[in-house]
Amino acid sequence: MAQKKMILDLDTGIDDSLAIAYAVADPTVDLIGIIGSYGNVYVEDGVENSLKILELLGQTAVPVYQGLSHSSETDKFIRMPVSAQIHGENGIGEIDLPKPQNKPAKGDALDFFIAAVKKYGKDLILVPTGPLTNLAAAIKKYPALVDEIGNITIMGGALTVPG
């Protein structure tokens, strides 16, 4: 069992499908959960895509939580047409994977994230690949998060939070 724990915050399209594959294959971290976001697809579709990819990879024990469905500055999210052009209508390149057997995890995604920060502290890595809405909402709900979390990796670079 790896010392470092990881949570992915994804708007699961083609690129995030690869992020899931890399995370479960990395022996240096334990993927303890995925939080769904909006962006490449609507949040509900991204959560379903994450569940499909995890099942494809034989990683059904990883919980997938549905995060926020739109930014804090809007009432709703409207998917940009370019996202469908890049990722396909289903978000995963029109690959037809079976409906997942697992369902989204019960409970609030932000509470899951905050509890993980409290439990793992500096040993927790968050990798958000889409909008940072879930991260911002978690910080607003639990400001001490920025002092307690180990690392937040954004777009291939690391943002080490003050602390």
Side-chain angles (χ1 to χ4, degrees), residues 122 144-150 160-163:
K122 299 295 183 192
L145 180 149
V146 298
D147 295 321
E148 294 177 15
I149 194 168
T160 303
V161 292

Side-chain angles (χ1 to χ4, degrees), residues 102-118:
N102 279 352
K103 302 290 181 215
K106 301 234 185 274
D108 182 86
L110 300 180
D111 290 342
F112 160 73
F113 177 38
I114 291 167
V117 170
K118 290 178 179 180

Side-chain angles (χ1 to χ4, degrees), residues 74-102:
T74 61
D75 298 10
K76 62 182 175 179
F77 167 73
I78 298 173
R79 184 179 184 210
M80 294 175 27
V82 70
S83 293
Q85 291 171 341
I86 294 168
H87 297 278
E89 286 299 325
N90 71 351
I92 51 175
E94 300 310 321
I95 301 298
D96 187 23
L97 295 175
K99 190 109 174 123
Q101 296 296 308
N102 279 352

Side-chain angles (χ1 to χ4, degrees):
M1 179 177 273
Q3 179 182 354
K4 295 291 184 178
K5 308 301 180 187
M6 179 183 287
I7 295 175
L8 297 174
D9 184 344
L10 310 175
D11 56 339
T12 305
I14 295 168
D15 53 341
D16 297 330
S17 297
L18 289 173
I20 294 170
Y22 284 126
V24 300
D26 187 340
T28 66
V29 297
D30 288 329
L31 180 62
I32 62 167
I34 295 174
I35 301 172
S37 187
Y38 59 90
N40 294 326
V41 293
Y42 292 96
V43 67
E44 299 85 1
D45 297 329
V47 166
E48 183 169 297
N49 287 345
S50 292
L51 290 167
K52 287 178 178 181
I53 299 300
L54 286 168
E55 286 188 15
L56 180 68
L57 299 171
Q59 299 295 317
T60 56
V62 177
V64 179
Y65 291 84
Q66 183 170 314
L68 300 173
S69 61
H70 58 83
S71 78
S72 59
E73 299 175 2
T74 61
D75 298 10
K76 62 182 175 179
F77 167 73
I78 298 173
R79 184 179 184 210
M80 294 175 27
V82 70
S83 293
Q85 291 171 341
I86 294 168
H87 297 278
E89 286 299 325
N90 71 351
I92 51 175
E94 300 310 321
I95 301 298
D96 187 23
L97 295 175
K99 190 109 174 123
Q101 296 296 308
N102 279 352
K103 302 290 181 215
K106 301 234 185 274
D108 182 86
L110 300 180
D111 290 342
F112 160 73
F113 177 38
I114 291 167
V117 170
K118 290 178 179 180
K119 182 174 182 177
Y120 298 112
K122 299 295 183 192
D123 290 327
L124 180 65
I125 301 166
L126 174 70
V127 181
T129 64
L132 301 176
T133 304
N134 293 321
L135 175 59
I139 292 170
K140 185 175 182 180
K141 188 171 185 176
Y142 183 63
L145 180 149
V146 298
D147 295 321
E148 294 177 15
I149 194 168
N151 195 294
I152 301 171
T153 301
I154 301 173
M155 302 298 282
L159 166 69
T160 303
V161 292

